[in-house]
């Protein structure tokens, strides 16, 4: 039997599982909760039991997602062992907010930031959108003055804001390595590395 030359041998790479990823998020202090997932590539069928789901594979499994989201590694492991294909939902307005912009505008802004050596922080590609993770506004003392913003979106109002969206309190985003109905993965353009997240107002200047 003729052996295969060492130079021709390839080592099979193993992709991180969803459990691996949510545990990495937990180590950053980022809570997560399981989401629904698309049932078939190229179809709008969703794993939830809602007939004609309007947002297949892009919403939490439970309506109590805000209360359930956690960094507890044991609970996260149980969830994704039970539902290994579940997409990953990250609630915003806790550790981070997210600017959610159309793909072309997001990539253009990211290129300008890179050229100016401006730290963009974590950035994800989500189909035709680009997500910029920034420090959260949290719960400021003067909430009436600071919180109100026409860019704020909640899951129920997201279709009304096709341009720039600001996910903060009571909202969430679909995170890598979730799968979109097209079969395309949500992926990191700039992965989180534990460094402080950028100031939202400074980064907003680059986006608007």
């Amino acid at each position: 039997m003729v052996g295969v030359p060492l130079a021709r041998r390839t080592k099979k790479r193993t992709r991180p599982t969803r459990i691996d990823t949510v545990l990495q998020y937990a180590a950053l202090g980022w809570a997560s909760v399981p989401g629904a997932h698309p049932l078939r590539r190229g179809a709008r069928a969703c794993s939830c039991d809602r007939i004609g789901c309007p947002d297949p594979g892009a919403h939490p499994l439970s309506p109590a997602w805000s209360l359930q989201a956690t960094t507890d590694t044991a609970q996260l492991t149980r969830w994704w062992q039970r539902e290994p294909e579940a997409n990953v939902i990250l609630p915003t307005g806790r550790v981070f907010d997210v600017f959610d912009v159309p793909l072309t505008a997001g990539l253009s802004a990211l290129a300008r930031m890179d050229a100016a050596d401006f730290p963009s922080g974590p950035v994800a590609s989500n189909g035709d959108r680009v997500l910029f993770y920034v420090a959260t506004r949290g719960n400021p003392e003067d909430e009436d003055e600071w919180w109100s913003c026409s860019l704020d979106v909640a899951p129920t109002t997201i279709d009304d804001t096709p341009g720039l969206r600001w996910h903060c309190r009571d909202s969430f985003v679909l995170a890598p390595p979730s799968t979109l109905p097209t079969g395309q993965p949500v992926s990191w353009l700039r992965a989180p590395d534990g460094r402080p997240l950028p100031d939202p107002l400074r980064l907003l200047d680059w986006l608007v």
Side-chain angles (χ1 to χ4, degrees), residues 2-202:
V2 178
V4 178
L6 185 61
R8 293 176 57 189
R9 296 178 189 172
T10 58
K11 184 177 180 180
K12 187 177 181 180
R13 295 182 179 179
T14 57
R15 291 184 178 181
T17 65
R18 279 167 165 73
I19 291 178
D20 294 331
T21 304
V22 296
L23 294 182
Q24 291 171 4
Y25 292 153
L28 294 172
W30 295 11
S32 57
V33 70
H37 64 275
L39 290 182
R40 298 186 302 276
R41 182 173 180 174
R44 290 190 60 81
C46 183
S47 64
C48 73
D49 56 5
R50 183 177 179 181
I51 298 175
C53 175
D55 206 13
H59 62 84
L61 287 175
S62 170
W65 62 270
S66 183
L67 297 175
Q68 293 176 346
T70 184
T71 58
D72 181 83
T73 57
Q75 180 61 63
L76 293 169
T77 301
R78 285 193 294 270
W79 278 337
W80 267 274
Q81 283 180 338
R82 188 166 62 239
E83 296 281 350
E85 294 184 82
N87 276 342
V88 180
I89 299 292
L90 300 180
T92 54
R94 301 183 183 187
V95 176
F96 54 82
D97 292 347
V98 170
F99 289 128
D100 174 348
V101 300
L103 179 64
T104 301
L107 294 179
S108 175
L110 184 59
R112 294 196 305 274
M113 292 179 204
D114 289 346
D117 201 27
F118 178 84
S120 66
V123 183
S125 173
N126 184 343
D128 60 356
R129 311 288 297 186
V130 177
L131 308 183
F132 292 82
Y133 287 65
V134 296
T136 185
R137 290 181 295 176
N139 276 306
E141 292 182 5
D142 193 353
E143 184 172 309
D144 289 338
E145 178 179 348
W146 178 237
W147 191 266
S148 298
C149 174
S150 61
L151 299 176
D152 291 349
V153 295
T156 56
T157 62
I158 198 166
D159 290 337
D160 300 327
T161 52
L164 174 62
R165 308 163 181 162
W166 190 336
H167 295 271
C168 45
R169 187 178 60 178
D170 299 327
S171 189
F172 59 79
V173 292
L174 191 64
S178 299
T179 305
L180 300 170
T182 59
Q184 180 182 7
V186 181
S187 58
W188 289 112
L189 300 176
R190 304 286 186 276
D193 56 11
R195 285 184 286 184
L197 298 173
D199 177 89
L201 297 184
R202 289 191 63 196

